[in-house]
Amino acid sequence: MKYSAAIAVIAAAGAYADLQAVKSVLSDVSQSIDSLNTAANGFDGNVDGVKSKADDLVSTIKKGKTTVDGSSDLQLEDAVGLTGPVQALTKKGQSLADNFKAKRSEVEKAGACGTVREELKDINDNSQALIKSVVSKVPKDAQSIAQSLASGLTKVLSQAQDDFSESNCKNSGSPSQTGGSSQTSAQTSAAATETETGSATIPATTLAPTTTGAVPTHPNNGTTGVNPPVTAGASFLAPAGALVMAVAAALL
C-alpha cells in the first residue's frame, strides 16, 4: 500500500514537472513576443531591429518545441492548466498582428515587405509545430479540446501572415539597410560612369554637366561663358570633382 502511494506521488510529481516545463516554454515565447512587439511599434524604416527580434522569437519557439518533445505525456487535468497561458499568448499574438498591420504602409515605403513576410511565415510555421507538439502530449481523448484551445492563436498567426502576403503588401520604396544603401548606390553608379582622360580618371557627371547657356571655355581663348549648374553626381563627388575639373581645365 505504501509502495503504491509512493508511485502515485512520483507520477504526480513528474506530471507537475512536465506541466511546469510546458508553462515555462509558453512564458518564454510570450516574452519574446513582447520584445518583437516593442520593435514593431518602434519601426522607423530600418527593418534590422524588427528582423533581429523576429529571429529571436523563432529561436525561442524552436527551443521550446525541443523541450516539449522531450517531456512526458500530460495528464487530463494538466490540459486544463494550460488554458490560461494559451489564452494569454493568443492575446499577445493578436496585439502583435495588429501592430504589424498598422505599420504595413511604412514597411512598404521601406521596401521591406519581403523581409517581414518571410519572418511572419517563419514564426507561423514554427508556432504551428510547437502547438502540435504540445497537443500531442495531452491524452488522446482531450486532444481535440486542446487543439480547439490553440485554434485562436493559430488563426491570429495565419492572419498576420496573410496581412503581408504579396497581394497585401507591395514595396513602394527601396529596402533600407544599416549604413545607408542610397549612398552605396550613388558611389557604385559614380564609379560605373567614370571615363578616363589621359592618366586622370574623370567622372562622367563632371565632364558632361547639364548647361543652361554658353559652354564655359578656358580664360585664355577670350571667350566667356556661363558656369554649368552642379549636377547631383558632381555635388556628391565634391570636392574631388572640383579638383579634377581644375586639372582638366589646365590641360585644355
Side-chain angles (χ1 to χ4, degrees):
M1 187 71 178
K2 290 182 179 179
Y3 178 77
S4 298
I7 293 296
V9 170
I10 292 174
Y16 177 77
D18 285 330
L19 175 60
Q20 289 303 107
V22 175
K23 283 185 174 181
S24 179
V25 166
L26 297 181
S27 177
D28 290 343
V29 171
S30 178
Q31 291 177 17
S32 291
I33 288 178
D34 286 340
S35 296
L36 178 55
N37 219 341
T38 299
N41 276 328
F43 180 71
D44 58 358
N46 186 347
V47 76
D48 291 345
V50 175
K51 186 179 186 305
S52 175
K53 295 302 180 182
D55 289 341
D56 288 345
L57 174 56
V58 170
S59 178
T60 299
I61 295 172
K62 288 181 177 179
K63 181 180 178 181
K65 183 182 183 302
T66 300
T67 298
V68 173
D69 287 342
S71 66
S72 302
D73 290 345
L74 301 174
Q75 302 300 314
L76 182 60
E77 57 270 21
D78 295 333
V80 178
L82 293 176
T83 301
V86 171
Q87 289 179 337
L89 200 60
T90 300
K91 289 181 180 179
K92 289 191 176 185
Q94 183 65 63
S95 176
L96 179 65
D98 291 342
N99 286 332
F100 263 102
K101 187 175 182 179
K103 293 287 185 177
R104 188 166 59 191
S105 62
E106 294 180 41
V107 170
E108 290 176 326
K109 291 178 183 177
C113 286
T115 299
V116 173
R117 182 161 45 245
E118 182 179 346
E119 292 294 338
L120 288 176
K121 182 181 185 303
D122 212 4
I123 291 172
N124 191 11
D125 289 347
N126 283 282
S127 294
Q128 303 297 347
L130 174 58
I131 290 172
K132 184 177 180 180
S133 181
V134 172
V135 171
S136 72
K137 296 298 180 178
V138 176
K140 292 187 180 299
D141 292 341
Q143 285 186 2
S144 60
I145 298 175
Q147 189 65 56
S148 177
L149 175 64
S151 64
L153 180 58
T154 300
K155 182 178 179 181
V156 166
L157 294 172
S158 296
Q159 182 60 53
Q161 185 177 337
D162 184 64
D163 286 338
F164 283 84
S165 65
E166 292 185 5
S167 59
N168 288 327
C169 187
K170 299 179 181 180
N171 293 336
S172 59
S174 300
S176 60
Q177 300 176 353
T178 303
S181 60
S182 60
Q183 180 173 334
T184 303
S185 177
Q187 291 172 328
T188 302
S189 177
T193 56
E194 286 181 345
T195 58
E196 293 188 0
T197 302
S199 60
T201 299
I202 304 176
T205 51
T206 305
L207 288 175
T210 303
T211 60
T212 57
V215 178
T217 59
H218 194 281
N220 290 337
N221 64 14
T223 305
T224 60
V226 179
N227 290 330
V230 180
T231 64
S235 176
F236 177 78
L237 294 171
L243 178 59
V244 173
M245 275 295 292
V247 173
L251 295 174
L252 293 178

